[in-house]
Amino acid sequence: MEAIKKLKPPKTPPKEVEAITKNVEVKKNEFWGWCVLASFLALLVISCGVYTLVKLFPNFLPHNKPGPNRPGPIARNYADALGIAFQFLDVQRSGKLVNNRIPWRGDSALRDGSDRNLDLSKGLYDAGDNVKFGFPMAFTATLLSWAILEYGQRMAAVEQLGHAQDSLKWITDFLINAHPSPNQLYVQVGDPDLDHECWERPEGMSERRPAAQVNASFPGSDVAAEVAAAMASASLVFKKIDPDYSFTLRTNAEELFAFADLYRGAYSVSIPQVKKFYNSTGYGDELLWAASWLYYATRDPSYLKYLTVINGDVFGNWGDPSWFSWDDKHAGTQVLLARMNFLGEKDGISPDENAKLQMYTRMAQATMCTLLPGSPSATSSRTAGGLIWVSEWNALQYSLAATFLAVLYSDYMATSQVQTLFCDGTTFSSKDLRHFAITQADYVLGKNPMEMSYLVGYGMDYPRYIHHRGSSIPVDSRTNCREGFKWYDSPDPNPNIPTGAVVGGPFMNETYVDNRTNHRQAEPTTYNSAFIVGLLSGLLTTASVPQSFG
């Protein structure tokens, strides 16, 4: 057979080969270009879809777990309790009421301050009586400001931020009017001795209501500094929503701080009458507290220097931790300044100032260690049921105050991703602090041996015989000062429920006597309400706090 010849492809001229090769490369590049463009468009569409789903449904992604900058779900029990707690701040309002949410309250004390040609009609009655004490009122405002600055977004998520801002402004309007000149501050409206001889609704008051002041001759560093703290912190709250009002508050705060520091003295010495009600045990803590808030509000380095290298050792109380309250601001100041260490707000701070800031932070840490069960330095000042308990007079003030600081410190740790709190060789996490805060909050809301909520209006069982004048007297009663005591002694529950009131709370043995005459346990206060508002706002969800107040 003839051999089969292999077929060979015809030879292509070199120039044509080069042209074909270039054409193939161009087509290939165009193909991959279109592929990249298509991939980019597909990725863009997918990203937009995921972004939309995440915005509408925050928990859409399975890995979207709570953490810094990622809010968890809202705790409905705390949201309900928060809405209730805010109402007591409305219950306590004095003056011409606007958008009144409390049907059994009306206008009262409209002529307060008229003896001094001032309008002191606004503000809050501090507790179950009808006196306006400036010291606890200003402290209530400072606490509200702090809660709003840290947890305003959480409040907004449950439609409570507006109530918080309105309550704060009702107080600061009063405080501005109470400061008519740089070295003058009105700190009380009403005669407490005369008031306590009466039992009457504030709407029906007819007795004399003098206004008491501190000034250069009769100083009050503690109360003036507390008002300065209230105004400075509130100026941050209103900085964006009402800049002019914010400026007015900041200006007043700086004047009052200068007055408090220059003319030093305790206001309860200048106004002896107040000793039986709100006696101050010192003013150094208020000066540091006010300087801290003024530093945040102004960023003026002189305030930082004041509270660190100048007066840190003098007023800082570097010894054992103390209990945060209307009278003692040390622990609050320590936690507030620890915020700077956690969140890195220390630009331009000198080594000496930083060393003192570390002292404040160490004291804040020591306070946290006293609160945590299982810590070697845990306090024994707690009931068998686990409630922090310091005094039989308004016991819940101390537990709520400590718990508010604990949830703040926990959030500072979580936001800055600090993993560990060291307590004498034992370590704890931010979650441990948060768990402690939850146990205290739940105790107050009814998880206690009495199985009763100490927040009036929350749950099915709460105090009914509250030591509170306006709540205990029927709206249509026409009784005068002394005649009203028939309602004080009445065996019937209060006809008007002071929703949101946090009563004084249990004794050390976990008992509570629901009796109107039991003012140690049954009297609510505005600062109790401010503490629980801050605490519940912090527990609404897990989320990071703002990097700065600015």
Side-chain angles (χ1 to χ4, degrees):
M1 294 180 62
E2 186 176 335
I4 300 176
K5 296 181 179 179
K6 292 182 179 180
L7 296 176
K8 293 183 179 180
K11 291 184 177 180
T12 305
K15 290 184 178 180
E16 291 184 21
V17 170
E18 182 179 355
I20 292 171
T21 302
K22 287 182 178 180
N23 188 49
V24 169
E25 288 298 324
V26 169
K27 295 295 185 182
K28 185 167 66 174
N29 289 339
E30 288 179 354
F31 171 77
W32 285 113
W34 282 109
C35 286
V36 170
L37 179 61
S39 299
F40 174 78
L41 291 174
L43 182 61
L44 182 63
V45 170
I46 292 171
S47 298
C48 290
V50 171
Y51 176 81
T52 302
L53 285 171
V54 171
K55 292 296 286 184
L56 293 175
F57 308 102
N59 296 314
F60 170 73
L61 293 178
H63 63 273
N64 189 27
K65 296 179 180 178
N69 300 313
R70 287 182 177 175
I74 295 294
R76 293 312 316 175
N77 59 326
Y78 296 140
D80 293 342
L82 180 63
I84 289 169
F86 268 119
Q87 294 184 51
F88 188 64
L89 298 174
D90 288 348
V91 167
Q92 296 302 94
R93 287 191 181 190
S94 165
K96 183 74 175 177
L97 302 186
V98 180
N99 300 322
N100 183 20
R101 295 197 293 165
I102 312 300
W104 50 272
R105 282 300 324 277
D107 299 343
S108 64
L110 297 180
R111 291 187 52 77
D112 276 6
S114 60
D115 60 322
R116 304 290 184 172
N117 295 317
L118 298 172
D119 179 6
L120 301 179
S121 60
K122 282 190 174 182
L124 305 182
Y125 305 113
D126 79 293
D129 52 29
N130 296 332
V131 180
K132 289 188 285 196
F133 291 101
F135 199 18
M137 189 196 305
F139 182 55
T140 298
T142 313
L143 293 174
L144 276 176
S145 293
W146 199 0
I148 294 169
L149 291 168
E150 303 283 12
Y151 301 129
Q153 289 186 337
R154 304 185 198 189
M155 293 179 185
V158 293
E159 300 180 345
Q160 296 299 325
L161 179 58
H163 294 311
Q165 293 167 336
D166 288 345
S167 295
L168 175 60
K169 191 173 185 297
W170 200 266
I171 301 174
T172 53
D173 283 352
F174 170 90
L175 296 177
I176 290 171
N177 288 351
H179 180 225
S181 64
N183 295 334
Q184 187 181 35
L185 176 68
Y186 285 89
V187 300
Q188 180 180 300
V189 183
D191 183 325
D193 292 323
L194 181 58
D195 178 86
H196 283 71
E197 292 177 1
C198 299
W199 193 265
E200 58 187 342
R201 299 179 72 239
E203 292 82 355
M205 294 184 297
S206 59
E207 65 273 9
R208 186 173 57 91
R209 290 179 60 79
Q213 64 171 292
V214 292
N215 51 47
S217 300
F218 296 93
S221 297
D222 31 28
V223 66
E226 183 59 63
V227 175
M231 289 181 164
S233 56
S235 75
L236 290 164
V237 172
F238 295 108
K239 186 174 183 178
K240 293 181 179 179
I241 59 180
D242 193 341
D244 290 340
Y245 190 69
S246 173
F247 178 78
T248 298
L249 286 167
R250 189 169 66 251
T251 302
N252 276 269
E254 293 191 271
E255 284 187 351
L256 279 168
F257 181 79
F259 164 56
D261 189 41
L262 180 60
Y263 299 98
R264 292 187 179 182
Y267 92 117
S268 46
V269 174
S270 297
I271 309 174
Q273 188 184 38
V274 82
K275 287 183 178 180
K276 293 184 292 184
F277 306 98
Y278 286 102
N279 183 46
S280 173
T281 57
Y283 54 77
D285 54 323
E286 278 84 22
L287 288 172
L288 296 178
W289 175 242
S292 301
W293 279 113
L294 277 162
Y295 178 69
Y296 277 107
T298 67
R299 290 298 172 176
D300 182 338
S302 67
Y303 292 114
L304 182 64
K305 186 176 182 180
Y306 180 96
L307 61 90
T308 54
V309 297
I310 296 177
N311 287 302
D313 291 337
V314 179
F315 298 134
N317 190 28
W318 304 135
D320 294 330
S322 57
W323 296 108
F324 190 33
S325 70
W326 64 263
D327 183 41
D328 192 333
K329 317 298 162 46
H330 284 107
T333 302
Q334 290 154 9
V335 171
L336 179 61
L337 294 178
R339 188 187 210 280
M340 296 176 65
N341 277 323
F342 278 113
L343 301 181
E345 302 177 89
K346 299 196 296 182
D347 292 341
I349 295 177
S350 72
D352 288 342
E353 291 169 337
N354 186 58
K356 297 304 179 184
L357 282 177
Q358 298 304 323
M359 290 296 295
Y360 282 109
T361 301
R362 281 196 285 273
M363 287 304 302
Q365 178 178 321
T367 296
M368 296 305 108
C369 292
T370 65
L371 302 179
L372 287 164
S375 165
S377 55
T379 181
S380 59
S381 296
R382 63 185 88 217
T383 68
L387 178 74
I388 293 292
W389 195 96
V390 178
S391 169
E392 65 180 19
W393 291 85
N394 192 12
L396 287 181
Q397 174 191 191
Y398 300 97
S399 51
L400 289 171
T403 308
F404 175 52
L405 295 183
V407 78
L408 284 170
Y409 198 94
S410 170
D411 282 343
Y412 296 163
M413 289 181 65
T415 301
S416 59
Q417 300 186 49
V418 171
Q419 302 296 321
T420 306
L421 169 67
F422 294 95
C423 299
D424 296 331
T426 305
T427 60
F428 298 91
S429 68
S430 63
K431 291 181 180 180
D432 293 321
L433 275 173
R434 189 174 184 85
H435 175 71
F436 161 77
I438 288 171
T439 65
Q440 300 295 290
D442 288 351
Y443 185 107
V444 175
L445 296 180
K447 195 173 182 180
N448 56 62
M450 294 290 292
E451 298 183 348
M452 177 180 71
S453 168
Y454 292 108
L455 174 64
V456 175
Y458 183 83
M460 299 300 295
D461 189 13
Y462 49 82
R464 307 284 177 165
Y465 296 81
I466 300 94
H467 183 90
H468 188 275
R469 288 160 171 74
S471 167
S472 67
I473 301 174
V475 174
D476 58 359
S477 172
R478 295 295 178 264
T479 52
N480 61 25
C481 166
R482 300 296 299 176
E483 292 171 346
F485 278 103
K486 72 178 183 181
W487 303 110
Y488 175 76
D489 297 321
S490 171
D492 299 324
N494 289 23
N496 311 308
I497 299 176
T499 303
V502 178
V503 295
F507 285 144
M508 184 64 160
N509 62 4
E510 312 273 16
T511 62
Y512 179 86
V513 179
D514 192 11
N515 190 306
R516 197 174 297 115
T517 64
N518 178 19
H519 51 282
R520 287 178 297 177
Q521 291 187 290
E523 186 169 17
T525 64
T526 56
Y527 41 94
N528 279 12
S529 294
F531 279 131
I532 201 169
V533 159
L535 170 59
L536 293 172
S537 297
L539 294 178
L540 280 175
T541 183
T542 51
S544 58
V545 294
Q547 196 72 21
S548 71
F549 295 147

